Amino acid sequence: QVQLVESGGGLVQAGGSLRLSCAASGTFFSINDMGWYRQAPGKQRELVASITRGGSTHYADSVEGRFTISRDNTKNTVYLQMNSLKPEDTDVYYCNADLFPTSTGWASIYWGQGTQVTVSS
């Protein structure tokens, strides 16, 4: 079974920084794309940033220039460096991995447990 374990969330003042990490463990063949999403209570989950296995990145307009997504394929880990945090960044953040459980078959999507990020004024 594949698990994505997140860490790094917490409380920070506006203008501060946090670094989230998400490590994939278990049995799988390979990991394709990885990403970070966030979700406020009663709202839909939205994409924050994504990164391909080769390192190509995409960012939501709201975080462009402030957040940086990266990955370490040797550790099966994706990171999200969040700088210049704003109160509107307050959300539960979830990591995501699109991976192949085996060498054959279709890719499957897995989610982390979520980590709370709270930015105070």
Side-chain angles (χ1 to χ4, degrees):
Q1 184 177 2
V2 179
Q3 293 187 13
L4 304 181
V5 180
E6 303 180 29
S7 62
L11 174 65
V12 66
Q13 292 185 339
S17 299
L18 286 173
R19 190 190 191 204
L20 307 182
S21 64
C22 174
S25 63
T27 302
F28 52 87
F29 179 72
S30 64
I31 303 177
N32 191 21
D33 295 353
M34 304 185 80
W36 289 94
Y37 293 71
R38 62 188 181 187
Q39 186 172 25
K43 302 297 182 181
Q44 291 185 319
R45 193 169 298 182
E46 66 172 354
L47 175 67
V48 177
S50 63
I51 184 169
T52 68
R53 181 174 179 82
S56 298
T57 59
H58 170 80
Y59 296 93
D61 290 343
S62 59
V63 306
E64 184 80 45
R66 298 188 297 119
F67 293 7
T68 302
I69 188 171
S70 61
R71 64 190 290 172
D72 185 341
N73 291 335
T74 66
K75 298 180 179 180
N76 296 319
T77 299
V78 63
Y79 305 93
L80 185 67
Q81 179 67 48
M82 303 184 293
N83 298 325
S84 301
L85 283 163
K86 305 175 181 179
E88 50 263 44
D89 294 320
T90 295
D91 269 316
V92 177
Y93 285 70
Y94 298 87
C95 67
N96 165 277
D98 180 27
L99 57 82
F100 292 93
T102 66
S103 61
T104 61
W106 293 0
S108 299
I109 299 174
Y110 292 85
W111 293 93
Q113 80 280 9
T115 185
Q116 177 70 47
V117 172
T118 303
V119 184
S120 62
S121 300

